[in-house]
Amino acid sequence: MSGTVPRGDNEDPALEILRRVFGYPSFRGRQAEIIRHIIDGGDALVLMPTGGGKSLCYQIPALVRPGVGVVVSPLIALMRDQVMALRQAGVRAAYLNSSMSWSEAVEVERAVAEGRLDLLYVAPERLVTPRFMDLLARAPLALFALDEAHCVSQWGHDFRPEYLQLSILHQTFPDVPRIALTATADAQTRADIAARLDLVRAEQFIASFDRPNIRYRVVPKKEPRHQLIGFIRDNHAEDAGIVYCLSRAKVDDTAAWLRNEGFDALPYHAGLDSSTRESNQDHFIRHEGVIMVATVAFGMGIDKPNVRFVAHLDVPRSLEAYYQETGRAGRDGLPATAWMAYGIADVVAMRSMLEGSETPDAQKRIERTKLDALIGYCETAMCRRAVLLSYFGEQQAEPCGNCDTCLEPVSTWDATVPVQKALAAVYRTGQRFGVGHLIDVLRGVATEKILKFGHDQIKTFGLGADLPKASWQSIYRQLVAHGLLQVDPEGFGGMRLGDNAMEVLKGGRPIQLRRDPEVLTRRARAAAGGRKAEAAGSGGDPWPDPQDAALWRDLKACRLELARAEGIPPYMIFHDSTLVEMVQRRPRDLNAMANVPGVGSRKLERYGEDFLEVIRHGD
Ligand code: ADP
Ligand code: ZN
């Protein structure tokens, strides 16, 4: 059956499995090294970003080594997904968790004892029970894989006390190799994992945390919903994506609005009952092109590889959170976008929330630094990827060429005089008013509030009528980012002069600011006839050739039909990346089909003819 894959006589068993079972021609990054190390009985700590290909690092050694590979995984949904995907590829895999009946569990235990399984996924709380340890003692064991290993760390973002007990594995079965895996980057968590899981002497494999297929974009907020829809229509009209909002109400509103605009969008937040949440998540996973509008409650345990965009309508809590949340895009390695709309109100809200909170001072200092880093990322005129990676301690040699500032370099301008006016407006109104009011003062708008406080009488009134409101917003935003203005913790977003503001106000220092990219408002977009945002450097049409585009659609339709019939998500038939290869290669027969990356022997047998039919039909 495996004769379709070309291979040498003395082929390495790991490579043979990679090709025959998973259908991939070669290993990626350090996969080969890691797999060899485990097969040889070593312990490993693997740090790789999401989408880096961690699963194969333990799945293949489990298939090569005799006995069952035991995989500890904290999320039931993820476990189920992985097992289903493995079975699709013809691997003997099963899971044990609290969602199954007693008789189902007994059946799995029997399979383990009789050596009929290659991979067993298990929840940590189950693993350490006497019954389970007893089962392990009776079965030959290939390895222990500890997935999401950062759960053992109290520093981490999702600490699970059950993980602390996992060191018992090593004590009881000292000869079984262990591999701990995580996508969490920082050094503190890494050291913590090694110490707590008794892996200090394990070899560490640390990959770059760069996600080169993700394009980073940040736009100044103007009409956020319209900007969002413009972004989706121009770049991801038929794609699945996640839109993050801060509040539940905004999630509901935004989802309703997107539906109204013709998108298949659903809400997800902790305020929805669990059956609605589950069915919305299920819809997202099982259908194509669904947009999930969600709070941060959504995303953990979502394994969907073809999420093509992650959009933030509100700023995330920190750059760590941003990296995590945007990391859910493009797990399959195909182009994806991380898009954020960011405005002065966000900065003000975050600053005043922090300053006004009861948090102890030391903690506040840390939070302040994190917030500064986030704002720095939003306001940078340099490569965004470089800023993001340097936050995680990685230096990038060259600008990436795949973020908005690389694609459309931002210009800076000499803003010394307008900045003096902006600061003067703060100073002369008594350092307690918010940006909206300050801009009215500068632009000479005689609102009721202006008249009430007599601000039409001060020297600054109308002094900034030469610049539009958006420019003043941009200026104020950047002044806060640079620390020249501070958000008053007591007031409601009132502005005070920051440390060096006086010096600037008195003309002691020139100031360069970043020029905001032009934001197309709804009216401007309509006037432009909804033209593609080519100038904005959008990804453009992935299939310029209409025949390719048609074939791509047909292949996806075929996949969806098969997935429906089997009751599984489409990506478990084939990943998008595999369909893309089919469009490019147009395999004519089963032999050619076997060479398409992602088509293993089992899937070739089951689905090969169906997809060949579609390809032949397309000509
Ligand atoms: P992680 O668990 O690190 O997020 P996965 O194990 O889910 O990543 O792998 C991410 C994607 O990369 C999957 O679509 C997987 O099939 C694919 N992949 C992994 N290793 C290879 C490889 N050697 N060649 C091609 N694709 C691979
Ligand atoms: Zn860049």
Side-chain angles (χ1 to χ4, degrees), residues 216 382-386 396 398-407:
Y216 296 98
M382 301 186 312
C383 172
R384 293 216 199 266
R385 193 179 310 273
Q396 181 183 263
E398 301 276 324
C400 76
N402 193 29
C403 71
D404 53 0
T405 48
C406 281
L407 291 163

Side-chain angles (χ1 to χ4, degrees), residues 18 22-29 31 48-60 78 82 147-148 181-183 211 303 305 327 330-333 575 577 597-598:
L18 178 75
F22 298 97
Y24 296 130
S26 54
F27 285 113
R28 257 195 206 159
Q31 277 177 333
M48 243 187 226
T50 306
K54 285 187 285 303
S55 333
L56 290 183
C57 295
Y58 57 83
Q59 288 168 350
I60 291 184
L78 225 106
Q82 293 246 4
D147 206 4
E148 313 286 348
L181 311 102
T182 176
R211 301 286 311 279
D303 222 357
R331 289 180 83 115
D332 54 12
H575 280 186
S577 46

Side-chain angles (χ1 to χ4, degrees), residues 422-500:
L423 294 175
V426 174
Y427 185 68
R428 295 198 182 271
T429 53
Q431 307 196 53
R432 60 196 181 97
F433 289 90
V435 169
H437 184 74
L438 294 168
I439 293 178
D440 285 339
V441 171
L442 284 163
R443 298 196 18 89
V445 187
T447 64
E448 225 170 275
K449 192 168 169 187
I450 296 260
L451 298 176
K452 175 175 162 203
F453 288 100
H455 288 165
D456 54 336
Q457 303 302 318
I458 62 177
K459 248 176 77 182
T460 333
F461 185 75
L463 213 58
D466 54 329
L467 286 180
K469 192 169 163 188
S471 299
W472 287 115
Q473 279 170 334
S474 168
I475 290 167
Y476 275 116
R477 217 182 58 225
Q478 295 186 64
L479 289 179
V480 174
H482 293 312
L484 287 167
L485 282 179
Q486 283 171 356
V487 180
D488 184 352
E490 306 301 325
F492 300 87
M495 293 288 164
R496 301 191 299 208
L497 297 185
D499 287 344
N500 301 318

Side-chain angles (χ1 to χ4, degrees), residues 535-555:
S538 80
D541 193 345
W543 300 113
D545 176 348
Q547 265 187 329
D548 286 353
L551 179 55
W552 168 247
R553 284 225 173 93
D554 293 347
L555 289 170

Side-chain angles (χ1 to χ4, degrees), residues 64 69 77 104 124 152 171 281 299-300 485 500 511 585 601 603:
V64 172
E104 284 172 319
V152 77
Q171 287 148 21
Q281 174 163 332
M300 264 285 272
L485 282 179
N500 301 318
I511 297 281
R585 299 175 181 221
S601 64
K603 291 191 180 180

